[in-house]
Every structure is written in C-alpha cells, then in structure tokens.
Amino acid sequence: MENDQRAWSAHALAFPFPAQGHINPVLQFCKRLVSKGIKATLVTTRFLSKSIHVDPSSNIDLETISDGFDEGGHAQAESVEAYVSTFKAVGSETLANLIRKLNDSGHPVNALIYDGTFPWALDVAKEFGLLKVMFCTQSCAVSIVAYHVQRGLLRVPLSGPVVSIPGLPLMEAADTPSFIYDLSTYTAFYDVLVNQFINIDETDWILHSSFHKMEEEVVDWMAKRWKLRTIGPTVPSMYLDKRIESDKSYAINLFKPNASACINWLHAKPVASVVYVSFGSVAELGVEQTRELAWGLKGSNCYFLWVVRATELFKLPENFVEETKEKGLVVTWCPQLEVLTHEAIGCFLTHCGFNSVLEALSLGVPMVAVPQWSDQPTNAKYVEDVWKMGIRAKPDEEGIVRREVVEVCLREVMEGEKAKEIRDNARNWKRLSKEAIDEGGTSDKNIDEFVAALLGKTILGNCDFI
C-alpha cells in the first residue's frame, strides 16, 4: 500500500465507535497526523467495513475487528446492553489480535486512540505498552457533566431546577444531556455516556474535537486535572485552513447524498434566503413533531432545503412535498458541508448533534436549535447562550416544538432584530475556528505536542535497555 512506502515517524491506531458521527471526527484527526508524518490506521467493525470506503488520497489504512455481530452490527443484537457487552468481550480480543498483526508488519503501533465509549480499550493499550489516548466526540461541557455524574459529584435524578458545575454556565435541568435529566429513557446509553470516565485517570491523553475558545473555561478546568487537549474543529481542511489540499470531504459517508440536486437548487436562490434543515443520521422525529415542523416551515414562507431520510419520509404530511415545491426541496441526504458553505443558506435548523454544530460554527452559519436527545440539549444551550449564534426553539409541555414556534424562530434568525447580532457572532466564530486549526493556532499546537509525544514513545520503544 502507498502508506507502507513512506518513512513514517510513528504509528497511531484510531478506534472510533462504528457510527458516522464518531468516525468522521477521528478520521479528520488522523488526516492531521498523516500531514505531520505519522502513520494512521482506522479501525472499524467487520460489518461496517462492508459499507464504507476510505479515500486513498487520505493515506489512511483501514483495518477491521469484530464486535460479535459481523452480519448485522448493532441491529443484529437483541438490545443495546447486549451489543455493548458483546463488543467489549469480542472487541478486546480481536483488537489485541490486530495490534499483534500490525506489530509484526514492520509498522508497530505506538498509540491507541480509542473512542471514549470504549473505556475497555485502555486495558488493551496498556497490555501492549501503547500511549492510551481517549478521544471524545462530544463537547467538553458534556464530558464534564457526565464525569460529575460518574464520580457522584452530581447526583441523579437531579434534585433541583438549576445545575452548577465548574467551568459551565448555570444550566436548567433540561439543558443537561437527556440521559441525565430523564433517567427513564435510554438507560443503556446512560451507562455508555457515564462509564466513559471510569478509568479516565489512567489515560495518557484526552482529546476533544472542539477548540479552546469554544469552551475556554471548562477546557482550562479539565486541563488542570488531565492531559486534555482540544484538536478541532474536526472539519476537512479545505473548509478551514486549506493546508491539506486533498482534504475536501470526510471521505466516509454511510448515506448517498443527492449532491447535484441540492447544489443546483441552491444556485437558483437569493443570498441568505434558504433554511437548511437536517436532523442528522440517527435522530428520529415522531410523526407529530415532523408534521409540526413541516407546517412551520411552510408558514415561515422561507425557502427550505430539508433532509428527510428515506425511512422517515412517511412521516411528512400528505401532499406536503407537492404543495411546497415552489419554496422547498426535500431530499433523503445531502453533502452537508457543501450546503452550509453555499451563499444561499441563511440558517441551519438542526438537532444540534455535536458534529453538525461544529460544522455550522466553523462555517459561520446561524442556527435554530431543535435538540432531541443525548448531548443535544447541552449543545443547544451553548448555541443560544454562550456562542450566541442561534436560538433554541422551545417545546411545549408534551415535548413538541409547535409550528408557531418554528415560524417565530426562523423569522427571528433570518430577518428579525436579533438576526444581525447572530450573523455577526457567527462570522466571528468562523474566524476563530480557522485560527484554532491554522498554523500556530491552539489546536495546531496541541496536535504538534501530541505528535512529539508519539515520537518520544517511538524512541523509547526502540531502546532495548528501557
């Protein structure tokens, strides 16, 4: 392979959770390492490897291990709990076997960069004497909330209406990750989120895909306790600093985008006139919420580009696509980065998954936040109250964001009195994002520091007397 023909300084094995929202940030970090002379190998499951392809121009190898469900992935498991426990048992063994294979190949592994949802991977890294590097794809704010719960410093169920944690703004209970303020839902995911921090004190490094100024106070608080570094934004270089010319996309996409249809449609629309709507690759809106959102978009009279996954199309109101074809375009997937950078986009109506938020912030796109679950409520809190580049659409007592609220929020972000302030803040975050990852920026320096640690590990590993 092309990788094997280069004189690599060290070798990092990157092991994200097998979902696009986890793979993409890790893959982008790997590209940064490769640009600095480090060999990077991405590890995924045998099942997922059947549907993904890493662009050869990224110079990143792809290897596979088993999660115990090689024919169907997590959908094959009888429950989330079964998937998590089986992955730990089978994954530990097959990951160790992979490291042995790579060590015999002439490119021995020096560091294991593992997803925070796999705390057991630390033990595998320890077995082989590798740098133990925890990679978090959520914000530092979400990490520190979960850490406080795991250590018993924040007790759940929450006892009061306000949550106070060092480094964070005061939050209402509904601003915390959904697994924490509503323990009745997704109990298995609660365990996954909180258990990330069981062995955090044994890590050598903790990496987050945000950047320092995004979460300055909480980053500083965490960095005093662990070797925590921000290395983002984990967005392809050509959208930011442009120092990696081949880095124009994430290189992995589990859905097929309707690229030409989206971009051609946007070309015909006025500047800053279109609302881009997407709830990511996982979130599933209920039928009632989907229909309220649909009528809110129609009532706003804005142009809209709405991504509705093929499995969700049945939730749209009858004849909605036909009735709104003069104003809207509904597609099953799209090239989100290309869309967000298009001059026709005026705002992003988003579920506030962290990758989507990071993209919008990096590209200077105002947001209307409609969080659903997981870390999304906390991300929405930051969008509105910390970064001040959007508005959170408030749900009613039934948890539904009604059409009237959608209309009001869109008008406020697109044309209201707040719109100029929000757009100015969005432009400022775009500038700060580029500065962070550009040469000499905080994230760039942090990556250089990590590379230096890798090289030090390589030298020590080659010394027989150590």
Side-chain angles (χ1 to χ4, degrees), residues 11-16 26 29 33 95 109-119 121-126 129-136 196 199-200 202-208 227-229 231 446 449-451 453-454 457:
H11 187 184
L13 190 62
F15 177 34
V26 173
F29 179 59
L33 294 180
L95 179 60
V109 178
N110 306 107
L112 178 61
I113 303 169
Y114 61 92
D115 198 289
T117 57
F118 296 138
L122 180 143
D123 295 324
V124 178
K126 190 188 299 184
L130 309 179
L131 279 180
K132 305 177 292 292
V133 186
M134 177 181 175
F135 194 104
C136 296
Q196 292 180 85
N199 53 12
I200 188 173
E202 296 182 58
T203 59
D204 295 313
W205 290 75
I206 303 167
L207 305 178
H208 271 77
K227 199 171 186 65
L228 177 137
R229 298 291 185 270
I231 49 80
N446 289 340
E449 183 186 0
F450 178 71
V451 167
L454 261 179
K457 183 69 174 177

Side-chain angles (χ1 to χ4, degrees), residues 50 55 75 151 172 200 208 221 243 252 317 411 431 456:
K50 300 170 187 175
D55 188 338
R151 295 299 163 100
E172 297 179 8
I200 188 173
H208 271 77
W221 189 91
R243 290 190 293 155
I252 285 181
R411 290 189 179 125
R431 176 182 62 81

Side-chain angles (χ1 to χ4, degrees), residues 265-274 303 342-346 414:
W265 186 83
L266 288 172
H267 284 339
K269 301 299 177 286
V271 173
S273 66
V274 177
Y303 292 111
H342 199 285
E343 65 177 6
I345 297 299
M414 295 286 279

Side-chain angles (χ1 to χ4, degrees), residues 272 274-277 340 345-349 365-368 410 413-414:
V274 177
V275 178
Y276 170 57
V277 187
L340 288 175
I345 297 299
C347 82
F348 182 13
L349 194 158
V365 181
M367 286 174 269
V368 172
L410 289 176
V413 171
M414 295 286 279

Side-chain angles (χ1 to χ4, degrees), residues 228-306:
L228 177 137
R229 298 291 185 270
T230 51
I231 49 80
T234 46
V235 172
S237 175
M238 293 307 290
Y239 290 91
L240 294 168
D241 58 310
K242 297 179 171 56
R243 290 190 293 155
I244 308 176
E245 291 186 7
S246 62
D247 188 18
K248 300 176 182 178
S249 68
Y250 289 114
I252 285 181
N253 205 322
L254 302 184
F255 297 87
K256 186 176 181 180
N258 301 20
S260 59
C262 297
I263 302 303
N264 290 338
W265 186 83
L266 288 172
H267 284 339
K269 301 299 177 286
V271 173
S273 66
V274 177
V275 178
Y276 170 57
V277 187
S278 176
F279 284 75
S281 59
V282 176
E284 296 182 0
L285 298 183
V287 172
E288 185 177 7
Q289 180 62 86
T290 301
R291 292 178 179 174
E292 288 294 320
L293 179 58
W295 296 127
L297 286 168
K298 184 179 181 182
S300 74
N301 204 35
C302 293
Y303 292 111
F304 64 88
L305 170 58
W306 188 1

Side-chain angles (χ1 to χ4, degrees), residues 18-329:
Q20 186 157 347
H22 289 250
I23 293 172
N24 283 345
V26 173
L27 181 63
Q28 288 307 124
F29 179 59
C30 286
K31 292 177 186 177
R32 294 285 174 180
L33 294 180
V34 168
S35 74
K36 295 176 184 289
I38 303 299
K39 179 178 174 64
T41 300
L42 187 76
V43 183
T44 191
T45 61
R46 291 169 186 164
F47 169 72
L48 199 62
S49 69
K50 300 170 187 175
S51 56
I52 66 174
H53 172 70
V54 179
D55 188 338
S57 67
S58 68
N59 286 315
I60 295 170
D61 285 348
L62 182 67
E63 295 282 355
T64 63
I65 64 170
S66 178
D67 58 3
F69 301 97
D70 295 347
E71 300 306 314
H74 63 81
Q76 185 183 343
E78 61 186 26
S79 65
V80 173
E81 292 88 346
Y83 182 72
V84 170
S85 61
T86 302
F87 202 155
K88 178 179 179 179
V90 178
S92 295
E93 180 180 351
T94 54
L95 179 60
N97 290 339
L98 173 61
I99 293 172
R100 291 187 187 97
K101 184 188 85 170
L102 294 173
N103 286 347
D104 292 338
S105 70
H107 292 296
V109 178
N110 306 107
L112 178 61
I113 303 169
Y114 61 92
D115 198 289
T117 57
F118 296 138
W120 49 264
L122 180 143
D123 295 324
V124 178
K126 190 188 299 184
E127 177 186 347
F128 291 92
L130 309 179
L131 279 180
K132 305 177 292 292
V133 186
M134 177 181 175
F135 194 104
C136 296
T137 55
Q138 71 266 2
S139 70
C140 292
V142 169
S143 287
I144 207 60
V145 172
Y147 167 78
H148 275 70
V149 172
Q150 196 275 323
R151 295 299 163 100
L153 302 170
L154 177 64
R155 298 195 177 279
V156 292
L158 299 174
S159 58
V162 176
V163 176
S164 176
I165 293 176
L168 302 186
L170 286 177
M171 295 191 294
E172 297 179 8
D175 295 327
T176 64
S178 63
F179 308 139
I180 290 169
Y181 76 77
D182 186 2
L183 292 176
S184 65
T185 61
Y186 304 104
T187 54
F189 287 107
Y190 167 87
D191 291 337
V192 171
L193 178 67
V194 170
N195 287 342
Q196 292 180 85
F197 305 98
I198 284 178
N199 53 12
I200 188 173
D201 296 324
E202 296 182 58
T203 59
D204 295 313
W205 290 75
I206 303 167
L207 305 178
H208 271 77
S209 56
S210 60
F211 60 95
H212 185 250
K213 284 191 179 295
M214 274 182 70
E215 309 181 86
E216 198 163 358
E217 291 184 23
V218 67
V219 168
D220 290 344
W221 189 91
M222 295 176 76
K224 290 176 182 176
R225 287 152 181 82
W226 308 286
K227 199 171 186 65
L228 177 137
R229 298 291 185 270
T230 51
I231 49 80
T234 46
V235 172
S237 175
M238 293 307 290
Y239 290 91
L240 294 168
D241 58 310
K242 297 179 171 56
R243 290 190 293 155
I244 308 176
E245 291 186 7
S246 62
D247 188 18
K248 300 176 182 178
S249 68
Y250 289 114
I252 285 181
N253 205 322
L254 302 184
F255 297 87
K256 186 176 181 180
N258 301 20
S260 59
C262 297
I263 302 303
N264 290 338
W265 186 83
L266 288 172
H267 284 339
K269 301 299 177 286
V271 173
S273 66
V274 177
V275 178
Y276 170 57
V277 187
S278 176
F279 284 75
S281 59
V282 176
E284 296 182 0
L285 298 183
V287 172
E288 185 177 7
Q289 180 62 86
T290 301
R291 292 178 179 174
E292 288 294 320
L293 179 58
W295 296 127
L297 286 168
K298 184 179 181 182
S300 74
N301 204 35
C302 293
Y303 292 111
F304 64 88
L305 170 58
W306 188 1
V307 176
V308 182
R309 298 194 305 275
T311 54
E312 303 283 292
L313 286 170
F314 75 95
K315 298 177 182 178
L316 291 173
E318 188 175 359
N319 299 323
F320 174 78
V321 173
E322 292 76 13
E323 291 176 14
T324 59
K325 64 182 179 181
E326 297 300 320
K327 282 287 186 176
L329 176 66

